């Protein structure tokens, strides 16, 4: 296809776009505290959901603007662009939250437990609530403490590595250009772009962090942490408090087609 034919030319453009990012230092953060594993299924909520939601929305707009400003991404058909963004918006958002150093303060949910729901229903002669298929019912959409801790752990890992602006850009390029998605047509072109981003990251590390031979592997651990975080949890955590029922596909399509 046209994308694959022009892949070589635009991969160099991706390289130059990502390399143009300015360095920005950030103070390192300590590792995330480890909670008791037995409490990982508790339901928790953000202490200030409106504030966190607005911060996440601003980061999402900034992230999609970054994506739209990469010329080789614009060369893809709109269907391919949308497929890529739908599959990676959550990890891109989390990388943006880490880069902007957005901290999450959470509180344990005060909603009744499953046992309390059953006892209350029986006391009033109602039918006890049935748990949802595949997981216990703990209310409509509240994430568990374990799911929130996974996000906090990812953020803490990024901050402990003091990731630079260029490194964030290369990581975003690696996440965005995923050739393994079913339905893609320009797989060779996209695979080349992902490889270009990884090579640029490796080259940058060799130039700036000459004494840290393990840094490239550490940054790839960051990518593996991202893959373990469910996009639905991210949507419910940050966007349900401000827009209600979340349909991320519709929202992403509108934002992608708009001039951000």
């Amino acid at each position: 296809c046209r994308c694959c034919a022009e892949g070589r030319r635009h991969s160099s453009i991706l390289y130059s776009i990502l390399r143009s990012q300015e360095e920005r230092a950030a103070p390192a953060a300590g590792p995330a505290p480890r909670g008791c594993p037995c409490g990982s299924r508790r339901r928790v909520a953000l202490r200030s959901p409106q504030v966190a939601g607005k911060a996440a929305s601003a980061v999402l707009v900034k992230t999609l603007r970054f994506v739209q400003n990469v010329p080789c991404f614009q060369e893809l058909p709109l269907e391919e662009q949308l497929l890529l963004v739908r599959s990676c918006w959550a990890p891109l958002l989390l990388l943006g939250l880490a880069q902007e150093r957005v901290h999450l303060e959470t509180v344990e949910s005060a909603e009744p437990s499953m046992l309390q729901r059953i006892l209350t229903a029986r006391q009033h002669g109602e039918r006890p609530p049935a748990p949802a298929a595949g997981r216990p019912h703990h209310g409509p959409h509240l994430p568990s403490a374990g799911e929130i801790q996974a996000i906090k752990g990812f953020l803490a890992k990024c901050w402990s590595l003091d990731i630079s602006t260029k490194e964030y850009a290369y990581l975003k390029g690696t996440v965005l250009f995923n050739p393994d998605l079913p339905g893609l047509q320009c797989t060779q072109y996209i695979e080349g772009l992902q490889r270009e981003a990884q090579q640029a990251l490796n080259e940058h590390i060799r130039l700036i962090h000459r004494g840290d031979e393990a840094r490239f592997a550490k940054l790839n651990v960051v990518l593996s942490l991202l893959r373990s975080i469910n996009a639905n949890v991210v949507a419910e955590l940050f966007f349900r408090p401000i827009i209600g029922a979340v349909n991320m596909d519709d929202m992403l399509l509108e934002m992608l087609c708009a001039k951000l």
Side-chain angles (χ1 to χ4, degrees), residues 10-12 25 37 43 46 56 62 68 72 83 87 96 112 125 136 159 165 180 182 185 189 192 236 252:
H10 290 294
S11 64
S12 62
R43 300 287 125 176
L46 294 174
K62 189 174 182 179
Q68 289 178 321
C72 47
L83 186 57
S87 72
W159 297 332
T165 301
D180 299 325
Q185 300 298 319
Y189 175 60
E236 296 296 338
L252 290 169

Side-chain angles (χ1 to χ4, degrees), residues 200-219:
L201 175 62
N202 200 7
E203 180 180 326
H204 171 78
I205 290 173
R206 288 202 309 267
L207 181 65
I208 304 299
H209 302 275
R210 297 180 182 178
D212 190 354
E213 298 180 356
R215 186 168 182 82
F216 184 74
K218 293 175 184 176
L219 291 179

